[in-house]
Amino acid sequence: MNKNTAYLFLRLSMGINFLGHGLVRLTKLQDFADGMAKGFEKSWLPQLFVQTFSTALPFLEFSIGLLLILGFKMRIASMAGASLIILLLFGSSTVENWEAMGIQMIYAGLFYILISRMDDNYLCADRK
């Protein structure tokens, strides 16, 4: 029971974190996307790619967060979240943002737990 409860709290915490990131950024989508693109001006990444990704990011964060909170399609939500973190790590490395990468590695570890301990998931929409 303790493993199930711990998983529930981790799942909800990650879900609220992602949902919150997305929700706040969606309310100021253009400013967020422009600010992120500006932060990558010195990167070798094409600006069109950065602008497109930064516009999509809040929608992805919001969607992943909502799925995690509901416990719906957990395998897809967790894999999508981990994949998003990998993309963010890659982007952060192109501008040598090592501090952000450290935080993103913590997220990667938390997604590892969500994926590897999925059998501990309960109180969720996917429960059989």
Side-chain angles (χ1 to χ4, degrees):
M1 183 61 155
N2 286 340
K3 290 189 292 185
N4 299 96
T5 303
Y7 191 94
L8 172 66
F9 285 134
L10 179 59
R11 189 190 89 215
L12 291 174
S13 297
M14 290 293 286
I16 289 168
N17 187 303
F18 268 64
L19 183 92
H21 270 86
L23 190 59
V24 168
R25 291 171 174 171
L26 283 171
T27 63
K28 53 181 180 179
L29 183 59
Q30 195 60 53
D31 289 339
F32 170 75
D34 291 344
M36 191 166 170
K38 185 170 173 42
F40 281 85
E41 283 176 343
K42 294 182 180 174
S43 168
W44 52 266
L45 294 171
Q47 280 295 300
L48 179 60
F49 172 79
V50 174
Q51 189 72 36
T52 302
F53 180 79
S54 60
T55 301
L57 180 59
F59 294 98
L60 294 170
E61 291 170 326
F62 181 86
S63 300
I64 292 167
L66 184 61
L67 290 173
L68 290 173
I69 289 169
L70 297 174
F72 186 67
K73 300 292 184 187
M74 277 300 295
R75 183 165 202 75
I76 292 170
S78 298
M79 296 289 204
S83 298
L84 184 58
I85 294 301
I86 290 168
L87 291 174
L88 292 169
L89 278 161
F90 178 75
S92 294
S93 72
T94 67
V95 290
E96 300 181 67
N97 189 345
W98 312 125
E99 185 177 332
M101 290 183 74
I103 294 166
Q104 291 160 351
M105 286 303 299
I106 294 169
Y107 282 99
L110 294 171
F111 274 112
Y112 166 81
I113 295 168
L114 287 176
I115 294 166
S116 67
R117 303 297 308 188
M118 207 164 296
D119 289 340
D120 295 333
N121 193 22
Y122 88 121
L123 286 178
C124 59
D126 283 348
R127 193 80 176 156
K128 295 177 182 175

